[in-house]
Amino acid sequence: MKIQIEYGMCDGHGECVIAAPEVFDLNDDGDEVILLDENPAEELRNKVNAAIKLCPVAAIRIEG
Ligand code: SF4
């Protein structure tokens, strides 16, 4: 699976980091997500789906 982030929408709530810390982190200012793994393993799909659901601005998508 391939992750796409709409960086302009992200305002750093960090829900995605809590849901899937293997895939998402926050920058030092805590105001924008960092994608640690653009192509996470299938085993992480549930966690990524949780991150997508929890993101308050719907900035995360799975491509394809
Ligand atoms: S949950 Fe959404 S808004 Fe919050 S850091 Fe992650 S991508 Fe950004």
Side-chain angles (χ1 to χ4, degrees), residues 37-64:
D37 187 353
E38 205 182 327
N39 293 287
E42 239 354 89
E43 300 93 84
L44 292 171
R45 186 175 283 270
N46 284 347
K47 287 186 167 188
V48 170
N49 277 335
I52 289 171
K53 225 186 263 178
L54 287 168
C55 177
V57 297
I60 307 166
R61 286 196 307 132
I62 296 176
E63 223 178 69

Side-chain angles (χ1 to χ4, degrees), residues 2-13 16 24 31-35 52 55-63:
K2 185 154 162 35
I3 310 280
Q4 234 184 16
I5 307 264
E6 200 67 58
Y7 287 98
M9 290 169 69
C10 171
D11 46 14
H13 301 275
C16 58
F24 306 102
D31 61 1
E32 191 170 271
V33 67
I34 296 171
L35 190 52
I52 289 171
C55 177
V57 297
I60 307 166
R61 286 196 307 132
I62 296 176
E63 223 178 69

